[in-house]
Amino acid sequence: MGSSRSGVPRRLVRRRPAWTALLGAVLGYWLSFTPSLLPRPWLLQALAAAVTALIGYALGAFVQWLAGRWVTIDPRFRRWAWWAMAVGGPAAAVYITAWSVRWQGDLRRAVGMDPRLVWWQWALVPVVTLVLAGLLLLLGRSIRLGTRALGRQLGRLRFVSPAVALCAAVVVTAVILAGSLQGFLERGLLASVERSAELSNDLIAPDVPQPQLSTVSGGPGSFEDWSSLGANGRDFVSQTPARARIADFSGHPAMDPVRVYVGLRSAPTLADRARLAVAELERTGAFKRRVLAVMNTTGSGWINENIASPLEYMYGGDTALVAIQYSYLPSWVSFLTEGEASSAGYALFSAVYQHWRSLPADSRPTLLLAGESLGSYATEQSFHGRLDQLTASADGALLVGPTPDNPIHHHVTERRDPGSPAWLPVYQDGRTVRFGQTAADLDRPGGQEWRPPRVAYLQNGTDPVTWWIPDLIWRHPDWLRGRRAPDVSPDMQWYPLLTFWQVTCDLAAADTVPDGHGHRFGQLPVEAWARIAPPPGWTAADSRRLAHLLRGEREEQG
């Protein structure tokens, strides 16, 4: 208890929440269940509901504060309102939770998952939400209590008015919170993630054998030490398909593919790593192969094997793939804290292109580009975000799961042909760039020539990685207008701020759905490569056979 200047006691914290605050919390809980892009695990839904309910609570409390200054409510109406809240609030929470089971089932069915849910898990959603929201509310009230206490202490100074004391307390609290949050993120959470990522990067797994091929980094005669490749680099080179396996698929003699990878610890700067990559390419005879593909990695240095190996099978191993590592952090951390993806893409391609261009024109390998997610961003930034520079420098590109910051992707989507949707745009009649969620999409528009060099984007209508942009806070996105992607719920609507939060939550589930949805693309790169740079005599049946083979290999690997 505290006391006012008149000596009348006053509470520092209300005994119970404001009615409008609880109403806001119920509405926030309700809105958190509105259909989004992807089905959610029950615990993720509970967390999303808790945060949304707390935002609604804060808005409701603000409305109560404003109304209390001008509106007087009859006590009898107040009692009836509380009774209505006591009955209607829990009933509304139970109803929306039960109703969400239906549309969650619809979403699961749309992405090829079993539509049935574990009932007891979803029955726990309101309980877990209440606990989490209560803890967050307790934290918020503690901060408010501390701010008021500080304001009273400052108000005791003779030269400080109560209003100035309160404003000063708010500023001091904000500074302390901002500093604590920044310190927690930088020295706590991010530092912990970085330490964990560094340990994972350096870990040499016993089930990843060092290759004995001289055509791959880390093998005999390599300039790259096995330990310096990093975990994802070691995975990349160790998964090089054996030429006997390639020959079994093609029915013809095959070569050992070239895979060059330069790890983060191999050289101090990006430029040094790029030069080392070119030296490795020369050592392995990569510039004498039929195909040379520059592969840009995700933040942790990972390369999707579904993008890498199809070229090796298609060309009988007469290929070379090259990549460098610029970080060992997860992509989202790397993007927020380093921003080296664009520099890495430019450094690698520039070094490779300079040597490639010095070769006689009639003996150069076909030069291809590839990248997934942040790797696609790095690929586009290699050309300063200009499509004409990309097509003037390379013989084709495969960009998978583009991010919202990809400059070429943004340019092409914004300037798509009239009538084509944002999730599957047609750009300049598909003469150079095409988009696909399925193999058939890559043949759109029908009857139009796809001129080399060809650029293909693989993007799913339900991929939050592609659609997560701050503009969702205030702008209705084009991908929710008109005809929608077949796996996007017809019940999903755009709401200011709420849709941005829903898609943010979807990011956590982007890789938990089957191939062809979310941020998963399965063996679709086989079909894309077969259209971008098909070897002579390659057929649609060959693509299906290769996709089946690679799918089986991935299933064997777990």
Side-chain angles (χ1 to χ4, degrees):
M1 300 285 287
S3 61
S4 64
R5 292 183 178 180
S6 63
V8 179
R10 65 182 180 187
R11 298 185 181 95
L12 293 175
V13 180
R14 293 191 184 94
R15 292 185 182 275
R16 63 184 182 186
W19 185 89
T20 51
L22 288 179
L23 177 62
V26 172
L27 291 176
Y29 180 83
W30 184 287
L31 290 173
S32 73
F33 284 88
T34 54
S36 190
L37 284 173
L38 296 171
R40 292 178 184 168
W42 71 272
L43 192 56
L44 175 61
Q45 177 58 52
L47 177 60
V51 174
T52 312
L54 191 65
I55 293 173
Y57 180 95
L59 293 174
F62 179 70
V63 170
Q64 175 84 6
W65 177 78
L66 285 178
R69 304 176 70 89
W70 294 289
V71 179
T72 301
I73 301 176
D74 185 273
R76 288 175 298 179
F77 178 79
R78 191 188 301 272
R79 284 194 298 271
W80 280 107
W82 275 108
W83 275 110
M85 177 62 68
V87 175
V94 171
Y95 173 79
I96 192 62
T97 304
W99 176 81
S100 72
V101 172
R102 179 188 66 80
W103 75 259
Q104 281 284 342
D106 291 342
L107 282 180
R108 292 171 65 88
R109 188 179 295 106
V111 299
M113 299 174 67
D114 187 343
R116 294 170 296 180
L117 299 174
V118 181
W119 69 267
W120 65 263
Q121 292 180 342
W122 282 87
L124 286 175
V125 169
V127 178
V128 175
T129 298
L130 183 62
V131 172
L132 293 176
L135 292 174
L136 292 173
L137 179 60
L138 179 62
L139 176 62
R141 286 196 164 194
S142 299
I143 293 171
R144 186 181 68 180
L145 178 61
T147 303
R148 288 185 174 181
L150 177 60
R152 288 197 308 276
Q153 294 299 320
L154 294 175
R156 292 176 180 176
L157 300 175
R158 293 182 178 180
F159 56 86
V160 178
S161 67
V164 172
L166 180 59
C167 290
V170 171
V171 171
V172 171
T173 302
V175 170
I176 292 173
L177 287 176
S180 300
L181 181 60
Q182 185 178 18
F184 168 73
L185 288 175
E186 291 185 355
R187 294 187 294 274
L189 178 61
L190 293 182
S192 176
V193 171
E194 184 172 357
R195 285 193 297 270
S196 176
E198 185 174 9
L199 289 173
S200 298
N201 183 70
D202 293 338
L203 179 65
I204 300 179
D207 59 342
V208 179
Q210 183 173 0
Q212 300 305 309
L213 295 174
S214 61
T215 56
V216 300
S217 295
S222 174
F223 299 144
E224 274 285 278
D225 185 77
W226 178 241
S227 62
S228 70
L229 290 176
N232 283 315
R234 287 187 287 272
D235 284 341
F236 175 63
V237 298
S238 68
Q239 293 183 72
T240 305
R243 62 178 173 181
R245 192 170 182 85
I246 297 174
D248 286 342
F249 168 78
S250 66
H252 304 286
M255 302 174 65
D256 289 319
V258 171
R259 288 198 180 188
V260 168
Y261 193 98
V262 177
L264 187 64
R265 301 193 185 283
S266 301
T269 68
L270 288 171
D272 291 336
R273 272 170 255 153
R275 283 192 290 269
L276 182 55
V278 172
E280 274 280 87
L281 289 172
E282 290 186 275
R283 179 191 68 80
T284 57
F287 290 103
K288 297 179 181 178
R289 298 296 177 107
R290 290 179 63 190
V291 171
L292 170 59
V294 178
M295 318 286 289
N296 283 297
T297 73
T298 63
S300 61
W302 177 71
I303 295 174
N304 191 341
E305 192 64 21
N306 291 338
I307 298 175
S309 57
L311 285 172
E312 294 164 326
Y313 280 93
M314 290 169 65
Y315 283 88
D318 196 4
T319 57
L321 312 181
V322 58
I324 64 173
Q325 185 183 22
Y326 57 87
S327 174
Y328 45 73
L329 296 172
S331 289
W332 66 272
V333 180
S334 178
F335 185 78
L336 291 175
T337 61
E338 294 185 5
E340 286 198 353
S342 58
S343 301
Y346 180 78
L348 177 60
F349 182 79
S350 296
V352 172
Y353 182 73
Q354 184 177 4
H355 186 91
W356 175 86
R357 195 176 182 185
S358 69
L359 303 174
D362 58 352
S363 61
R364 297 172 185 163
T366 298
L367 184 58
L368 301 176
L369 307 169
E372 178 172 348
S373 195
L374 196 56
S376 71
Y377 170 79
T379 300
E380 293 190 12
Q381 290 288 45
S382 302
F383 308 95
H384 309 291
R386 293 188 55 178
L387 177 61
D388 58 340
Q389 289 189 11
L390 186 157
T391 55
S393 305
D395 297 309
L398 174 58
L399 304 170
V400 180
T403 76
D405 290 319
N406 283 36
I408 297 177
H409 176 269
H410 178 77
H411 173 89
V412 170
T413 303
E414 287 294 307
R415 291 163 178 78
R416 64 188 182 275
D417 294 351
S420 63
W423 53 272
L424 192 62
V426 174
Y427 178 70
Q428 295 183 350
D429 290 327
R431 289 193 296 269
T432 302
V433 180
R434 294 194 180 182
F435 291 76
Q437 183 170 350
T438 66
D441 294 335
L442 295 171
D443 296 326
R444 298 172 61 253
Q448 297 295 325
E449 180 187 4
W450 192 359
R451 305 171 185 170
R454 297 170 178 172
V455 179
Y457 283 97
L458 303 185
Q459 65 180 34
N460 293 328
T462 51
D463 188 358
V465 173
T466 297
W467 308 127
W468 185 83
I469 56 175
D471 285 9
L472 280 175
I473 295 174
W474 61 82
R475 193 176 75 175
H476 194 148
D478 288 345
W479 51 271
L480 277 179
R481 297 179 186 272
R483 183 166 61 94
R484 300 184 176 194
D487 51 350
V488 173
S489 170
D491 296 325
M492 183 178 181
Q493 303 297 325
W494 175 79
Y495 302 99
L497 184 61
L498 177 63
T499 301
F500 173 78
W501 169 242
Q502 293 283 53
V503 175
T504 300
C505 294
D506 286 333
L507 289 170
D511 287 315
T512 65
V513 292
D515 293 342
H517 309 281
H519 200 55
R520 296 175 61 89
F521 300 89
Q523 300 306 322
L524 189 56
V526 172
E527 299 284 357
W529 282 129
R531 287 161 171 79
I532 295 169
W538 188 264
T539 66
D542 292 328
S543 294
R544 291 191 294 270
R545 203 161 50 88
L546 179 56
H548 179 75
L549 172 67
L550 296 180
R551 188 178 299 110
E553 288 183 354
R554 305 298 170 259
E555 291 174 354
E556 289 176 6
Q557 295 168 3

